[in-house]
Amino acid sequence: MVSGCAQGGDGSDVPPAAGQQQAKADRQRAKADRQRAKERHAAKLRAAHKARVAAAKRWGLKKVPLLPPRPPAGKPEITTRKGFEVDGHDGLPPVFTTVPTKQKVVFLTIDDGAEKDPAFLRMMSELKVPYTAFLSGFLVKDDYGYFEKMQTGGVVLNNHTLRHPYLPGLSYARQKREICGMQDMIEKRYGKRPTLFRPPFGSYNEDTLHAARSCGIKYAPLWNEEVFVDRWEYREWDREIHPGDIVLSHFRGRAHWKGTMPDMVRRFLNKVTAEGYAVARLEDYL
Ligand SMILES: [Zn+2]
């Protein structure tokens, strides 16, 4: 009689076939591997947290910055903020100040490029706080290497024109030279053509967005708050930060304001962390 059981009918143990023994050993090994991987992952998380605590202390933060949540699987739909449209805006890069999300995240964007403080690069990479740079050519070209280090650290370098003019005062052709010339400069120097463009002073017209679109720009993010070394400024009447807000600051130092880039970052992080916000990467949401 053929029995499917390992146990013989007379109660004596029938040794499992070699194949079965092998399968059992494989399962045990796989289980041990999974356990070890889990322990390694937990140890890595503990080490990363320890490093973040140490970095926060080293840079004088009141609290350890919060880790951003995983970005949403489906990208949010970015539309132009009400009142910020130009005539015939459909199909032009959207102009927005907040990314629609319920996650408690804000996005840090830093403009122009005048101050090239090595301490700022160290601080941001040690704290692992993401940000996006909007660069003006005339401020970048005396030290391309500074922004190359930034890019190597994972920061996306975006377009803020060649010479930082008030764009609505220029013809379409001159606006195009300012915007598309900067596209070419960033691509030539840094190997990547930006898809984000921020008009200087946040000022633009229909020509600006047509010119930007013509050379590869997909989005025109503005900002909802601005942070300085000594204060915050708000676009909204409630003077609050909101989920998905884009925060503006500048590459500035003691020549422009009463403090350094790290002083500005401290002011920024102390507030957003205290209010339960994490800093996320703008490009992950676009
Ligand atoms: Zn600017």
Side-chain angles (χ1 to χ4, degrees):
M1 209 169 92
V2 179
S3 167
C5 302
Q7 197 81 356
D10 59 356
S12 69
D13 284 345
V14 175
Q20 283 176 309
Q21 271 178 329
Q22 186 57 43
K24 194 177 170 196
D26 284 350
R27 276 199 303 278
Q28 277 169 344
R29 200 172 312 119
K31 197 177 161 194
D33 282 351
R34 277 199 302 276
Q35 186 58 30
R36 269 198 300 278
K38 240 165 115 178
E39 280 161 15
R40 269 200 307 275
H41 183 64
K44 229 168 118 179
L45 288 183
R46 277 196 304 276
H49 181 71
K50 229 175 119 180
R52 280 204 314 281
V53 171
K57 203 173 152 191
R58 197 160 52 243
W59 289 102
L61 300 181
K62 288 184 183 153
K63 277 180 159 178
V64 181
L66 296 168
L67 280 179
R70 209 187 283 269
K75 305 258 185 187
E77 193 197 339
I78 307 289
T79 53
T80 292
R81 181 178 166 141
K82 238 187 161 50
F84 286 57
E85 308 90 346
V86 296
D87 283 344
H89 205 128
D90 279 353
L92 292 172
V95 180
F96 54 105
T97 61
T98 298
V99 171
T101 178
K102 289 198 168 68
Q103 295 180 334
K104 279 199 91 176
V105 294
V106 293
F107 306 99
L108 178 61
T109 59
I110 309 186
D111 283 14
D112 301 351
E115 179 77 0
K116 296 158 186 88
D117 183 352
F120 167 74
L121 292 185
R122 277 202 309 279
M123 180 182 199
M124 298 309 260
S125 75
E126 288 178 20
L127 291 169
K128 300 200 178 359
V129 171
Y131 60 100
T132 298
F134 288 92
L135 303 178
S136 261
F138 81 109
L139 294 167
V140 168
K141 66 180 177 196
D142 61 1
D143 189 357
Y144 289 113
Y146 182 79
F147 301 97
E148 198 180 321
K149 281 189 206 121
M150 193 174 287
Q151 186 188 38
T152 305
V155 175
V156 180
L157 308 179
N158 283 299
N159 187 332
H160 196 47
T161 72
L162 283 173
R163 280 169 291 253
H164 207 276
Y166 175 74
L167 289 169
L170 301 183
S171 66
Y172 174 76
R174 288 186 61 198
Q175 291 200 43
K176 196 171 167 186
R177 272 206 297 281
E178 280 291 339
I179 300 166
C180 301
M182 191 58 187
Q183 289 290 88
D184 295 342
M185 180 198 257
I186 293 180
E187 186 174 18
K188 182 172 167 226
R189 289 287 165 178
Y190 301 108
K192 270 194 105 176
R193 205 162 172 82
T195 55
L196 272 55
F197 160 71
R198 174 176 283 161
F201 319 105
S203 303
Y204 57 95
N205 61 15
E206 205 181 322
D207 283 348
T208 313
L209 299 178
H210 277 282
R213 183 180 65 179
S214 79
C215 47
I217 294 298
K218 302 273 185 263
Y219 300 96
L222 298 184
W223 61 92
N224 222 22
E225 290 88 25
E226 180 168 357
V227 61
F228 301 79
V229 275
D230 55 351
R231 68 187 188 282
W232 281 73
E233 285 183 2
Y234 304 87
R235 195 183 287 277
E236 312 291 343
W237 61 270
D238 63 2
R239 301 180 57 79
E240 296 272 359
I241 49 180
H242 318 87
D245 272 357
I246 300 170
V247 180
L248 162 69
S249 195
H250 289 89
F251 292 102
R252 286 180 187 159
R254 291 200 183 277
H256 302 85
W257 56 23
K258 291 191 197 86
T260 61
M261 293 288 290
D263 291 335
M264 177 279 288
V265 176
R266 266 189 286 279
R267 178 162 294 272
F268 168 73
L269 286 175
N270 282 340
K271 182 179 175 74
V272 303
T273 309
E275 296 189 13
Y277 286 86
V279 185
R281 203 170 158 271
L282 181 57
E283 287 80 3
D284 289 341
Y285 287 72
L286 302 179

